[in-house]
Amino acid sequence: MGSSQPSMHQRTWWKDGTVYQVWPASYKDSNGDGIGDIQGIISTLDYLNDLGVDILWVSPMYDSPQKDMGYDISNYEDIYPKYGTLADAEALIKGCHDRGMRIIFDLVINHTSDQHAWFKQSRSSKDNPKRDWYIWRPAKHDKDGNRKPPNNWRAHFGGSAWEWDEGSQEYFLHLFCPEQPDLNWENPVTRDAVYASAVKFWLDKGVDGFRIDTVNMYSKGTTFPDAPIVDPSAELQFGPHLFCNGPRMHEFLRELHEKVLRHYDCMTVGELPHTPDAPSVLRYISAKDPMLNMVFQFDIVDLGQGSDYKFETVPYPLTTLKTTIGRLQTLITGTDAWTTAFLENHDQARSISRFASDSPKNRVRSGKLLAMLLATLTGTLYIYQGQEIGMINVPHHWQADDFKDIEAINYLSLVRARSQNSPTAIATAVDGIRAVGRDNARTPVQWDSSSHAGFSTVEPWMRVHDDYSFINMTDQVADPNSILQFWKRILRMRKDHRDCFIYGDFEMFDPTDEHTLTFSKTWEGERVLVCLNFSAQRRSVFVPEGWGAEREWEVLIGNGDDGDEERGWLKGWEGRIYRVR
């Protein structure tokens, strides 16, 4: 047994499976307190099984002060009380296994909460045995004697990446919130404690693996130089190359695999930001040097985001999306590595709004179009809660007070301060948050058209999307033409054609066309052509050379009206998958 990582064309459950991500707070409330919980997840396992889900990924449920929605963990071995109990988590694991499903948890081990017992001891004094379990540095001082942080790093959510601790008179590093101090991975005692408490504890309870948060940030070196000046108007600078993919990163992951992961039949998928070049990515996922099974790259979901502040959005053409998909799909060609296919998660805006059209006229067809794209891509497929019913971004009339995410709130504070509360600047910032903000993914799941979308019997912790009366799971279960029913069909088709859809060779055609996306998947004697119209106008189907009238074209699935397909043409936002013989 053990995760020895088979080569690319060897079948294994974590390659064949469809993964469904649940973000607990917004998924399903079982006890009427307005917050999703574990029993709510358990109540939907039959629904997920019927959808075609093989692997359930649950975002952090651990005990936490919830400064960053559970990514600030105060106890790896217990559950946040509002989500449930340890017994509930064990019941969830069993419920998945009883249905032939697997379950993976989020693994957040770059940092803990400042309320974790380890950090409380670490900050208690410079002489505490756990002092160097975290990253502490003395202050610097300017020419006037004013105290300054050890360097000019800007944290992901704004402000300095260093927080002053008055009690022990030093700064500690936090790449995210001040309440999320970074663990010191240079300390082997710290690493062993992390492996035991955060990893082995849950594997021994039957968890089938982990989505590993910020998997390339553990090694930051020991010198902490200043980041280059990108924004001359700001004192703090964002320098991810200084804390991602550090000098001991691969050593640490090899050790985690050797000491723990290889002893279990488990899967790992790492969150790999700020790693744009293919050789660096492949180092993490090569089967001959086991570290991770696969990683999430953010090239697609980062499209349109600003380079320094992501909410400063920029337009991009379809050709850029096509080039990006092609690059990611061919990354593993001829290698022993594996990859992922996704468009949504808890940190991303809704895919219909970002990559297609969420207008009432086009939303359903767009949701099906993106389902065809995802289901035919090589790699393990990931779906995010609500994606299967076509949930979309928050409405344009939502304002700043409707946002809950700390990243959005901090950005708005920055804009207000820098613009002296300019209404124009604030409106532009809110537009950016509505476009790519994390709150888009965190509105409660819309289960039915009753009050609060069937998510809860009381006012939820976050506002329900206004469209729940006509975008909800119950209505779509009863509608054979719904996005939900389309997802069920195409997930079955992905399994029926797994050689070609999951493992097949990818080739992009007509890369300069600004309106249509056409690619083939080939496995030995089977060939399929995926033709997708990413515009509102009627477009012709691109026919690759040698694929023309002399061959037999069979429509496997499409999102047009039944019997209304026009061979050789695609209506607005229409797509088809052909098997070509």
Side-chain angles (χ1 to χ4, degrees), residues 478-546:
D479 179 2
N481 296 315
S482 66
I483 298 176
L484 174 63
Q485 296 296 349
F486 192 88
W487 266 109
K488 289 182 182 180
R489 287 175 59 201
I490 204 158
L491 291 180
R492 286 194 298 270
M493 184 173 293
R494 181 173 168 89
K495 288 180 170 63
D496 292 342
H497 297 267
R498 70 183 62 202
D499 284 346
C500 197
F501 281 27
I502 301 176
Y503 298 93
D505 292 330
F506 175 96
E507 183 178 3
M508 182 73 74
F509 295 111
D510 205 16
T512 60
D513 188 283
E514 295 282 6
H515 308 290
T516 61
L517 195 162
T518 307
F519 61 90
S520 66
K521 295 298 293 295
T522 306
W523 177 267
E524 296 181 351
E526 185 176 12
R527 297 200 299 179
V528 299
L529 190 68
V530 182
C531 305
L532 309 172
N533 181 4
F534 276 79
S535 76
Q537 289 75 42
R538 179 173 174 265
R539 306 287 178 185
S540 61
V541 172
F542 178 81
V543 180
E545 186 176 352

Coordinates of all heavy atoms in Angstrom, one line a residue, residues 478-546:
A478 N -35.9 18.4 -10.4 CA -37.1 18.1 -11.1 C -37.1 18.5 -12.6 O -38.0 18.2 -13.3 CB -38.3 18.8 -10.4
D479 N -36.1 19.3 -13.0 CA -36.0 19.8 -14.4 C -35.0 19.0 -15.2 O -33.8 19.2 -15.0 CB -35.7 21.3 -14.3 CG -35.6 21.9 -15.7 OD1 -35.8 21.2 -16.7 OD2 -35.2 23.1 -15.8
P480 N -35.4 18.2 -16.2 CA -34.5 17.4 -16.9 C -33.5 18.3 -17.8 O -32.5 17.8 -18.2 CB -35.4 16.6 -17.8 CG -36.7 17.3 -17.9 CD -36.8 18.0 -16.6
N481 N -33.8 19.5 -18.0 CA -33.0 20.4 -18.8 C -32.1 21.3 -18.0 O -31.5 22.3 -18.5 CB -33.8 21.2 -19.8 CG -34.6 20.4 -20.8 OD1 -34.0 19.4 -21.3 ND2 -35.9 20.6 -20.9
S482 N -32.0 21.1 -16.7 CA -31.3 22.0 -15.8 C -29.8 21.8 -15.9 O -29.3 20.8 -16.4 CB -31.8 21.8 -14.3 OG -31.4 20.5 -13.9
I483 N -29.1 22.7 -15.3 CA -27.6 22.6 -15.2 C -27.2 21.4 -14.4 O -26.3 20.6 -14.7 CB -27.0 23.9 -14.7 CG1 -27.3 25.1 -15.6 CG2 -25.5 23.7 -14.5 CD1 -26.7 26.4 -15.0
L484 N -28.0 21.2 -13.3 CA -27.7 20.0 -12.4 C -27.8 18.7 -13.2 O -26.9 17.9 -13.1 CB -28.6 20.1 -11.2 CG -28.6 18.9 -10.3 CD1 -27.2 18.8 -9.6 CD2 -29.7 18.9 -9.2
Q485 N -28.9 18.6 -13.9 CA -29.1 17.3 -14.6 C -28.0 17.1 -15.7 O -27.6 16.0 -16.0 CB -30.5 17.2 -15.2 CG -31.6 17.2 -14.2 CD -31.6 16.0 -13.3 OE1 -30.9 15.0 -13.6 NE2 -32.4 16.0 -12.3
F486 N -27.6 18.3 -16.3 CA -26.5 18.2 -17.3 C -25.2 17.7 -16.7 O -24.5 16.9 -17.2 CB -26.3 19.6 -17.9 CG -25.5 19.6 -19.2 CD1 -26.0 19.3 -20.4 CD2 -24.1 19.8 -19.1 CE1 -25.2 19.3 -21.6 CE2 -23.3 19.8 -20.2 CZ -23.9 19.5 -21.4
W487 N -24.9 18.3 -15.5 CA -23.7 17.8 -14.8 C -23.8 16.3 -14.5 O -22.7 15.6 -14.6 CB -23.5 18.6 -13.5 CG -22.6 19.8 -13.6 CD1 -23.0 21.1 -13.5 CD2 -21.2 19.8 -13.7 NE1 -21.9 21.9 -13.7 CE2 -20.8 21.1 -13.8 CE3 -20.3 18.8 -13.9 CZ2 -19.5 21.5 -13.9 CZ3 -18.9 19.2 -14.0 CH2 -18.5 20.5 -14.1
K488 N -24.9 15.8 -14.1 CA -25.0 14.4 -13.8 C -24.7 13.6 -15.1 O -24.0 12.6 -15.1 CB -26.4 14.0 -13.3 CG -26.8 14.5 -11.9 CD -28.2 14.0 -11.6 CE -28.5 14.5 -10.2 NZ -29.9 14.1 -9.8
R489 N -25.3 14.0 -16.2 CA -25.0 13.3 -17.5 C -23.6 13.3 -17.9 O -23.0 12.3 -18.3 CB -25.9 14.0 -18.6 CG -27.3 13.7 -18.5 CD -28.1 14.5 -19.6 NE -27.6 14.2 -21.0 CZ -27.7 14.9 -22.0 NH1 -28.3 16.1 -21.9 NH2 -27.2 14.6 -23.2
I490 N -23.0 14.5 -17.8 CA -21.6 14.6 -18.3 C -20.6 13.9 -17.3 O -19.5 13.4 -17.8 CB -21.2 16.1 -18.6 CG1 -20.1 16.1 -19.6 CG2 -20.8 16.8 -17.3 CD1 -20.0 17.3 -20.4
L491 N -20.9 13.9 -16.0 CA -20.0 13.1 -15.1 C -20.1 11.6 -15.4 O -19.1 10.9 -15.3 CB -20.4 13.4 -13.7 CG -20.0 14.9 -13.2 CD1 -20.4 15.0 -11.7 CD2 -18.5 15.2 -13.4
R492 N -21.3 11.1 -15.7 CA -21.4 9.7 -16.1 C -20.6 9.5 -17.4 O -19.9 8.5 -17.6 CB -22.9 9.3 -16.3 CG -23.6 9.2 -15.0 CD -25.0 8.5 -15.3 NE -25.8 9.2 -16.1 CZ -26.7 10.1 -15.7 NH1 -26.9 10.4 -14.4 NH2 -27.5 10.7 -16.6
M493 N -20.7 10.4 -18.3 CA -20.0 10.3 -19.6 C -18.5 10.3 -19.4 O -17.8 9.6 -20.1 CB -20.5 11.4 -20.6 CG -19.9 11.4 -21.9 SD -20.6 12.6 -23.0 CE -22.3 12.0 -23.2
R494 N -18.0 11.2 -18.5 CA -16.6 11.2 -18.2 C -16.1 9.9 -17.7 O -15.0 9.4 -18.1 CB -16.3 12.3 -17.2 CG -14.9 12.5 -16.8 CD -14.7 13.7 -15.9 NE -13.4 13.8 -15.3 CZ -12.3 14.4 -15.8 NH1 -12.4 14.9 -17.0 NH2 -11.2 14.4 -15.1
K495 N -16.9 9.2 -16.9 CA -16.5 7.8 -16.4 C -16.6 6.8 -17.6 O -15.7 5.9 -17.7 CB -17.4 7.4 -15.3 CG -17.1 8.2 -14.0 CD -18.1 7.7 -12.9 CE -17.6 8.2 -11.5 NZ -17.7 9.7 -11.4
D496 N -17.7 6.9 -18.4 CA -17.8 6.0 -19.5 C -16.7 6.1 -20.5 O -16.3 5.1 -21.2 CB -19.2 6.2 -20.2 CG -20.3 5.8 -19.4 OD1 -20.1 5.0 -18.4 OD2 -21.5 6.2 -19.6
H497 N -16.2 7.3 -20.7 CA -15.1 7.6 -21.6 C -13.8 8.0 -20.9 O -13.1 8.9 -21.4 CB -15.5 8.7 -22.6 CG -16.7 8.3 -23.5 ND1 -16.6 7.8 -24.7 CD2 -18.0 8.5 -23.2 CE1 -17.8 7.6 -25.2 NE2 -18.7 8.0 -24.4
R498 N -13.5 7.4 -19.8 CA -12.4 7.9 -18.9 C -11.1 7.8 -19.6 O -10.3 8.7 -19.4 CB -12.4 7.1 -17.6 CG -11.9 5.7 -17.7 CD -12.0 5.0 -16.3 NE -13.4 5.0 -15.9 CZ -13.8 4.9 -14.6 NH1 -12.9 4.8 -13.7 NH2 -15.1 4.8 -14.3
D499 N -10.8 6.8 -20.5 CA -9.6 6.8 -21.2 C -9.3 8.1 -21.9 O -8.2 8.7 -21.8 CB -9.5 5.6 -22.1 CG -9.3 4.3 -21.4 OD1 -9.0 4.3 -20.2 OD2 -9.5 3.2 -22.1
C500 N -10.3 8.5 -22.7 CA -10.1 9.7 -23.6 C -10.3 11.0 -22.8 O -9.5 11.9 -22.9 CB -11.2 9.6 -24.7 SG -10.8 10.6 -26.1
F501 N -11.4 11.1 -22.0 CA -11.6 12.3 -21.3 C -10.6 12.6 -20.2 O -10.2 13.8 -20.1 CB -13.0 12.3 -20.7 CG -14.2 12.5 -21.6 CD1 -14.1 12.2 -23.0 CD2 -15.4 13.0 -21.2 CE1 -15.1 12.4 -23.8 CE2 -16.4 13.2 -22.0 CZ -16.3 12.9 -23.4
I502 N -10.3 11.6 -19.4 CA -9.4 11.9 -18.2 C -8.0 11.7 -18.5 O -7.1 12.5 -18.1 CB -9.8 10.9 -17.0 CG1 -11.3 11.1 -16.6 CG2 -8.9 11.1 -15.8 CD1 -11.7 10.1 -15.6
Y503 N -7.6 10.8 -19.4 CA -6.2 10.5 -19.6 C -5.7 10.8 -21.0 O -4.6 10.8 -21.3 CB -5.9 9.0 -19.4 CG -6.2 8.5 -18.0 CD1 -7.4 8.0 -17.6 CD2 -5.2 8.6 -17.0 CE1 -7.7 7.6 -16.3 CE2 -5.4 8.1 -15.7 CZ -6.6 7.6 -15.4 OH -6.9 7.2 -14.1
G504 N -6.7 11.2 -21.9 CA -6.3 11.4 -23.3 C -5.4 12.6 -23.6 O -5.3 13.5 -22.8
D505 N -4.7 12.5 -24.7 CA -3.9 13.6 -25.2 C -4.7 14.8 -25.6 O -5.7 14.6 -26.3 CB -2.9 13.1 -26.3 CG -1.9 12.1 -25.8 OD1 -1.5 12.1 -24.7 OD2 -1.6 11.2 -26.6
F506 N -4.2 16.0 -25.3 CA -5.0 17.2 -25.6 C -4.3 17.9 -26.7 O -3.1 18.0 -26.8 CB -4.9 18.1 -24.3 CG -5.5 19.4 -24.5 CD1 -6.8 19.7 -24.1 CD2 -4.8 20.5 -25.0 CE1 -7.4 21.0 -24.2 CE2 -5.3 21.8 -25.1 CZ -6.6 22.0 -24.8
E507 N -5.1 18.5 -27.6 CA -4.6 19.3 -28.7 C -5.6 20.5 -28.9 O -6.8 20.3 -29.2 CB -4.4 18.6 -30.0 CG -3.8 19.4 -31.1 CD -3.5 18.7 -32.4 OE1 -3.9 17.5 -32.5 OE2 -3.0 19.3 -33.3
M508 N -5.1 21.7 -28.8 CA -5.9 22.9 -29.1 C -5.8 23.3 -30.6 O -4.8 23.2 -31.2 CB -5.4 24.1 -28.3 CG -6.2 25.4 -28.4 SD -7.8 25.3 -27.6 CE -7.2 25.5 -25.8
F509 N -7.0 23.6 -31.1 CA -7.1 24.0 -32.5 C -7.5 25.5 -32.6 O -8.1 26.1 -31.7 CB -8.1 23.2 -33.3 CG -7.7 21.8 -33.4 CD1 -8.5 20.8 -32.7 CD2 -6.7 21.3 -34.1 CE1 -8.2 19.5 -32.8 CE2 -6.3 20.0 -34.2 CZ -7.1 19.0 -33.5
D510 N -7.1 26.1 -33.7 CA -7.5 27.5 -34.1 C -7.3 28.4 -32.9 O -8.2 29.1 -32.4 CB -9.0 27.5 -34.4 CG -9.4 28.7 -35.3 OD1 -8.5 29.3 -35.9 OD2 -10.6 29.0 -35.5
P511 N -6.0 28.5 -32.4 CA -5.7 29.3 -31.2 C -6.0 30.8 -31.3 O -6.1 31.5 -30.3 CB -4.3 29.0 -30.9 CG -3.7 28.6 -32.2 CD -4.8 27.9 -33.0
T512 N -6.1 31.3 -32.5 CA -6.2 32.8 -32.7 C -7.7 33.2 -32.8 O -7.9 34.4 -32.8 CB -5.4 33.3 -33.9 OG1 -5.9 32.6 -35.1 CG2 -3.9 33.0 -33.8
D513 N -8.6 32.3 -32.9 CA -10.0 32.6 -32.9 C -10.5 33.2 -31.6 O -10.2 32.7 -30.6 CB -10.9 31.4 -33.3 CG -12.3 31.8 -33.6 OD1 -13.0 32.1 -32.6 OD2 -12.7 31.8 -34.8
E514 N -11.1 34.4 -31.7 CA -11.5 35.2 -30.5 C -12.8 34.8 -29.9 O -13.3 35.4 -28.9 CB -11.5 36.7 -30.8 CG -10.1 37.2 -31.2 CD -9.2 37.5 -29.9 OE1 -9.7 37.1 -28.8 OE2 -8.1 38.0 -30.1
H515 N -13.5 33.8 -30.5 CA -14.9 33.5 -30.2 C -15.1 32.1 -29.8 O -16.0 31.8 -29.0 CB -15.8 33.9 -31.3 CG -15.6 35.3 -31.7 ND1 -16.0 36.4 -31.0 CD2 -15.1 35.8 -32.9 CE1 -15.7 37.5 -31.6 NE2 -15.2 37.2 -32.8
T516 N -14.4 31.1 -30.4 CA -14.7 29.7 -30.2 C -13.4 29.0 -29.6 O -12.3 29.5 -29.8 CB -15.1 29.0 -31.4 OG1 -14.1 29.1 -32.4 CG2 -16.4 29.6 -32.0
L517 N -13.7 28.0 -28.8 CA -12.6 27.2 -28.2 C -12.8 25.8 -28.7 O -13.9 25.1 -28.4 CB -12.7 27.3 -26.7 CG -11.5 26.8 -25.9 CD1 -11.6 27.4 -24.4 CD2 -11.4 25.3 -25.8
T518 N -11.9 25.2 -29.4 CA -12.0 23.9 -30.0 C -10.7 23.1 -29.7 O -9.6 23.6 -29.9 CB -12.1 24.0 -31.6 OG1 -13.2 24.9 -31.9 CG2 -12.4 22.6 -32.2
F519 N -10.9 21.9 -29.1 CA -9.8 21.0 -28.9 C -10.2 19.6 -29.0 O -11.4 19.2 -29.0 CB -9.2 21.3 -27.5 CG -10.1 21.1 -26.3 CD1 -10.2 19.8 -25.7 CD2 -10.9 22.1 -25.8 CE1 -11.1 19.6 -24.6 CE2 -11.7 21.9 -24.7 CZ -11.8 20.6 -24.1
S520 N -9.2 18.7 -29.1 CA -9.5 17.3 -29.3 C -8.9 16.6 -28.1 O -7.9 17.1 -27.4 CB -8.9 16.7 -30.5 OG -7.4 16.8 -30.5
K521 N -9.4 15.4 -27.8 CA -8.9 14.5 -26.8 C -8.8 13.1 -27.5 O -9.7 12.7 -28.2 CB -9.8 14.4 -25.6 CG -9.9 15.6 -24.7 CD -8.6 16.1 -24.1 CE -8.0 15.1 -23.1 NZ -8.8 15.0 -21.9
T522 N -7.6 12.5 -27.4 CA -7.3 11.3 -28.1 C -6.7 10.3 -27.2 O -5.8 10.6 -26.4 CB -6.3 11.6 -29.3 OG1 -6.8 12.6 -30.1 CG2 -6.2 10.3 -30.2
W523 N -7.3 9.1 -27.3 CA -6.7 7.9 -26.6 C -6.7 6.7 -27.5 O -7.8 6.2 -27.8 CB -7.5 7.7 -25.3 CG -6.9 6.5 -24.5 CD1 -7.4 5.2 -24.6 CD2 -5.8 6.4 -23.6 NE1 -6.6 4.3 -23.9 CE2 -5.7 5.1 -23.2 CE3 -5.0 7.4 -23.1 CZ2 -4.7 4.7 -22.3 CZ3 -4.0 7.0 -22.2 CH2 -3.8 5.7 -21.8
E524 N -5.6 6.3 -27.9 CA -5.5 5.1 -28.8 C -6.5 5.3 -30.0 O -6.3 6.3 -30.7 CB -5.7 3.8 -28.1 CG -4.6 3.6 -27.0 CD -4.7 2.3 -26.3 OE1 -5.8 1.6 -26.4 OE2 -3.8 1.9 -25.6
G525 N -7.5 4.5 -30.1 CA -8.4 4.6 -31.3 C -9.5 5.6 -31.1 O -10.3 5.8 -32.0
E526 N -9.7 6.1 -29.9 CA -10.9 7.0 -29.7 C -10.4 8.5 -29.8 O -9.4 8.9 -29.2 CB -11.4 6.8 -28.3 CG -12.7 7.6 -28.0 CD -13.4 7.3 -26.7 OE1 -12.7 6.6 -25.8 OE2 -14.5 7.7 -26.5
R527 N -11.3 9.3 -30.5 CA -11.0 10.7 -30.7 C -12.3 11.4 -30.4 O -13.4 11.1 -31.0 CB -10.5 11.0 -32.1 CG -9.2 10.4 -32.4 CD -8.5 11.1 -33.6 NE -9.3 11.0 -34.8 CZ -8.9 11.6 -35.9 NH1 -7.8 12.2 -36.0 NH2 -9.6 11.5 -37.0
V528 N -12.2 12.5 -29.6 CA -13.4 13.4 -29.5 C -13.0 14.8 -29.8 O -11.8 15.2 -29.6 CB -14.0 13.3 -28.0 CG1 -14.5 11.9 -27.7 CG2 -13.0 13.8 -27.0
L529 N -13.9 15.6 -30.3 CA -13.7 17.0 -30.6 C -14.6 17.8 -29.8 O -15.9 17.6 -29.8 CB -13.9 17.3 -32.1 CG -13.4 18.6 -32.6 CD1 -11.9 18.7 -32.5 CD2 -14.0 18.9 -34.0
V530 N -14.1 18.7 -29.0 CA -14.9 19.6 -28.1 C -15.0 21.0 -28.8 O -14.0 21.6 -29.0 CB -14.3 19.7 -26.7 CG1 -15.1 20.5 -25.8 CG2 -14.0 18.3 -26.1
C531 N -16.2 21.4 -29.1 CA -16.4 22.6 -29.8 C -17.3 23.6 -28.9 O -18.5 23.2 -28.7 CB -17.1 22.4 -31.1 SG -16.3 21.2 -32.2
L532 N -16.8 24.7 -28.5 CA -17.4 25.6 -27.6 C -17.4 27.0 -28.1 O -16.4 27.5 -28.4 CB -16.7 25.5 -26.2 CG -16.5 24.1 -25.6 CD1 -15.6 24.2 -24.4 CD2 -17.8 23.4 -25.3
N533 N -18.6 27.6 -28.1 CA -18.8 29.0 -28.6 C -18.8 29.9 -27.4 O -19.8 29.9 -26.6 CB -20.1 29.1 -29.4 CG -20.3 30.5 -29.9 OD1 -19.4 31.4 -29.8 ND2 -21.4 30.7 -30.6
F534 N -17.8 30.7 -27.2 CA -17.7 31.6 -26.0 C -18.2 33.0 -26.5 O -17.6 34.0 -26.1 CB -16.3 31.7 -25.5 CG -16.0 30.6 -24.5 CD1 -15.8 29.3 -24.9 CD2 -16.1 30.8 -23.1 CE1 -15.5 28.3 -24.0 CE2 -15.8 29.8 -22.2 CZ -15.5 28.5 -22.6
S535 N -19.2 33.1 -27.2 CA -19.8 34.4 -27.6 C -21.3 34.3 -27.7 O -21.8 33.2 -27.7 CB -19.2 34.9 -29.0 OG -19.8 34.2 -30.1
A536 N -22.0 35.4 -27.8 CA -23.4 35.4 -27.9 C -23.9 35.3 -29.3 O -25.1 35.1 -29.6 CB -24.0 36.7 -27.3
Q537 N -23.0 35.3 -30.3 CA -23.4 35.2 -31.7 C -23.2 33.8 -32.3 O -22.4 33.0 -31.8 CB -22.6 36.2 -32.5 CG -22.9 37.7 -32.3 CD -22.4 38.2 -31.0 OE1 -21.2 37.9 -30.6 NE2 -23.2 38.9 -30.3
R538 N -23.9 33.5 -33.3 CA -23.8 32.2 -34.0 C -22.4 32.1 -34.7 O -21.9 33.1 -35.3 CB -24.9 32.1 -35.1 CG -24.9 30.9 -36.0 CD -26.2 31.0 -36.8 NE -26.3 29.9 -37.8 CZ -25.9 30.0 -39.1 NH1 -25.4 31.2 -39.5 NH2 -26.0 29.0 -39.9
R539 N -21.7 31.0 -34.5 CA -20.3 30.8 -35.0 C -20.2 29.5 -35.7 O -20.9 28.5 -35.3 CB -19.3 30.9 -33.9 CG -19.4 32.1 -33.0 CD -18.8 33.4 -33.8 NE -19.0 34.5 -32.9 CZ -18.7 35.8 -33.3 NH1 -18.2 36.0 -34.5 NH2 -18.8 36.8 -32.5
S540 N -19.3 29.4 -36.6 CA -19.1 28.1 -37.3 C -18.2 27.2 -36.5 O -17.4 27.7 -35.7 CB -18.5 28.3 -38.7 OG -17.2 29.0 -38.6
V541 N -18.5 25.9 -36.6 CA -17.6 24.9 -36.0 C -16.3 24.8 -36.7 O -16.3 24.7 -37.9 CB -18.4 23.5 -35.9 CG1 -17.4 22.4 -35.4 CG2 -19.6 23.6 -35.1
F542 N -15.2 24.8 -36.0 CA -13.9 24.6 -36.6 C -13.7 23.1 -36.8 O -13.8 22.3 -35.9 CB -12.8 25.2 -35.7 CG -11.4 25.0 -36.3 CD1 -10.9 25.8 -37.2 CD2 -10.6 23.9 -35.9 CE1 -9.7 25.7 -37.8 CE2 -9.4 23.7 -36.4 CZ -8.9 24.6 -37.4
V543 N -13.3 22.8 -38.1 CA -13.1 21.4 -38.5 C -11.6 21.3 -38.7 O -11.0 21.8 -39.7 CB -13.9 21.0 -39.7 CG1 -13.6 19.6 -40.1 CG2 -15.4 21.2 -39.5
P544 N -10.9 20.5 -37.9 CA -9.4 20.3 -38.1 C -9.2 19.6 -39.4 O -10.0 18.8 -39.9 CB -9.0 19.5 -36.9 CG -10.1 19.7 -35.9 CD -11.4 19.9 -36.6
E545 N -8.0 19.8 -39.9 CA -7.6 19.1 -41.1 C -7.6 17.6 -40.9 O -7.1 17.1 -39.9 CB -6.2 19.6 -41.6 CG -5.8 19.1 -42.9 CD -4.4 19.6 -43.3 OE1 -3.9 20.6 -42.7 OE2 -3.9 19.1 -44.3
G546 N -8.3 16.9 -41.9 CA -8.3 15.5 -41.8 C -9.5 15.0 -40.9 O -9.7 13.7 -40.8

